[in-house]
Amino acid sequence: MSGTDDTGGARGAGGTTAALMWEARAAAGRGPELLEWARARAAVLAGEPLRREILRAPQDRVLVITWWDADPAAELPELPEPAPDLVTRPVHRWRFESLGAVEPADG
């Protein structure tokens, strides 16, 4: 099955796209350092995702999303845990299956 999904690219032959989300909150004053740490780790994952995106939010939170041509339950490369002194809590991780982009309503 081919087509497009919300990764902005084509789905693979299997038709399933997994989105892996990794989110961490930096220790006080260490937001820029956590952002650079995550950016460096996302660039060298063991495998090439369809897409990768890095976002930041208030309270020095960093979110990394990678999209893969795979089932969400598949064994996929993930970012590791940062050093304990770089974050305020353990990393949160989620896996989703992309169901495709939502097109704007005609109107």
Side-chain angles (χ1 to χ4, degrees), residues 3 11-12 14 19 23 33 35 46 48 53-54 56 64 69 75 84-85 96 98 107:
R11 284 190 181 182
E23 186 264 344
E33 186 178 348
L35 180 60
E48 187 62 33
E53 191 166 344
I54 300 172
R56 66 178 170 190
V64 178
D69 180 16
E75 188 169 321
D85 63 332
F96 293 91
S98 174

Side-chain angles (χ1 to χ4, degrees), residues 25-82:
R25 183 173 175 194
R30 299 194 67 188
E33 186 178 348
L34 177 62
L35 180 60
E36 286 309 309
W37 182 94
R39 188 181 313 255
R41 296 321 179 278
V44 295
L45 289 169
E48 187 62 33
L50 298 170
R51 178 178 169 190
R52 69 188 98 209
E53 191 166 344
I54 300 172
L55 300 94
R56 66 178 170 190
Q59 301 177 328
D60 287 329
R61 289 179 292 141
V62 175
L63 175 67
V64 178
I65 307 172
T66 56
W67 286 266
W68 302 86
D69 180 16
D71 185 275
E75 188 169 321
L76 295 166
E78 294 194 48
L79 272 68
E81 291 280 334

